[in-house]
């Protein structure tokens, strides 16, 4: 393989890798954003609604007590 062919092959490989990496990173960023939003919504629900709903508060307290009892 000549030097020119090697450089063309390397350039094409870099372009393809950059395209694939861009799509994978974009997907990962979206997934991370969705997970963060779900966590924020869960905390907001617990602190805004859960504290006023005794069933939810009791369920959370029971789960925390069970966790502390086993660890």
């Amino acid at each position: 393989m000549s030097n020119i062919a090697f450089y063309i092959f390397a350039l094409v490989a870099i372009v393809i890798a950059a395209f694939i990496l861009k799509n994978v990173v974009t997907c990962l960023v979206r997934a991370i954003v969705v997970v963060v939003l779900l966590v924020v919504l869960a905390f907001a629900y617990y602190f805004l609604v859960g504290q006023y709903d005794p069933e939810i508060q009791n369920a959370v307290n029971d789960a925390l007590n069970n966790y502390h009892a086993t660890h």
Side-chain angles (χ1 to χ4, degrees):
M1 185 183 264
S2 69
N3 287 342
I4 287 285
F6 175 75
Y7 289 125
I8 291 173
F9 174 76
L11 185 61
V12 169
I14 289 171
V15 169
I16 291 172
F19 179 74
I20 291 172
L21 187 64
K22 178 183 173 249
N23 288 337
V24 170
V25 168
T26 301
C27 183
L28 286 174
V29 168
R30 278 192 217 140
I32 291 170
V33 167
V34 167
V35 168
V36 168
L37 286 176
L38 288 175
V39 169
V40 167
L41 287 174
F43 277 114
Y45 178 79
Y46 174 72
F47 286 114
L48 297 177
V49 176
Q51 290 182 342
Y52 302 109
D53 189 354
E55 289 181 19
I56 293 174
Q57 193 171 13
N58 290 340
V60 170
N61 288 336
D62 290 342
L64 287 173
N65 289 337
N66 289 338
Y67 175 77
H68 289 302
T70 59
H71 290 87

